[in-house]
Amino acid sequence: MNLNRVTLVGRAGRDPETKNLTSGVKVVNFTLAVNRRGSRDEPPDWFDVEVWDKTADIAASYVRKGSLIGITGVLKFDRWNDRNSGEERQKPVIRVEQLDLLGSRRDNEASMDGNF
C-alpha cells in the first residue's frame, strides 16, 4: 500500500499568486506558516502550497496573507536545473486537494485590510 497524504492548518504567509496557463487551467501559489503544537518559542514551519482548477479560484478569491486555512493534499517535489550552475535543484510543495477557510469572517476581513 502506498500513501502520500498531508494535512496542515496554518496561516497564509503571503497573498496568493495566480497563474493562468495556456491550457486555460488556473494555478495559485502561496506559503503556509504552521506552528508546532505546544511550542510558542519556536518559529513556524513554512510550506510552499499550490492549488489547481476550481479550488484555485476559491483560494484566489478568499485567501489573503494571515488567513487561517486548513489544507489536505499530497507532497510532491518540483525539480529544475539551476540556470547558473546547471545543477539539479528541488523543493517540496504541497499540492492541495481540499482547502478549508477556517478563520471567522472578521479575521478574514482584517487580513484583507492588512490589519492582521
Side-chain angles (χ1 to χ4, degrees):
M1 176 173 83
N2 296 321
L3 180 64
N4 179 357
R5 183 56 92 215
V6 177
T7 301
L8 300 169
V9 174
R11 295 199 179 268
R14 65 174 196 255
D15 288 343
E17 297 173 6
T18 303
K19 295 178 190 170
N20 293 305
L21 305 180
T22 54
S23 63
V25 175
K26 183 182 286 189
V27 62
V28 170
N29 295 309
F30 59 95
T31 57
L32 186 67
V34 178
N35 291 323
R36 293 186 184 196
R37 187 176 193 143
S39 178
R40 296 194 183 272
D41 296 333
E42 291 185 41
D45 294 319
W46 289 90
F47 298 91
D48 289 312
V49 175
E50 70 178 24
V51 188
W52 291 78
D53 301 323
K54 293 179 182 177
T55 309
D57 291 330
I58 295 167
S61 296
Y62 297 105
V63 174
R64 295 290 175 261
K65 180 179 179 179
S67 296
L68 181 64
I69 60 171
I71 61 168
T72 301
V74 296
L75 176 64
K76 69 178 199 110
F77 287 87
D78 282 348
R79 292 180 169 83
W80 69 95
N81 289 326
D82 185 276
R83 289 183 187 173
N84 297 326
S85 68
E87 291 182 39
E88 184 175 324
R89 304 279 188 208
Q90 66 179 5
K91 74 173 181 176
V93 177
I94 310 299
R95 183 169 181 167
V96 174
E97 295 173 347
Q98 180 178 337
L99 171 69
D100 296 307
L101 305 172
L102 301 176
S104 68
R105 177 174 281 183
R106 182 175 159 202
D107 287 345
N108 290 333
E109 288 172 356
S111 68
M112 286 182 187
D113 292 340
N115 297 326
F116 206 74

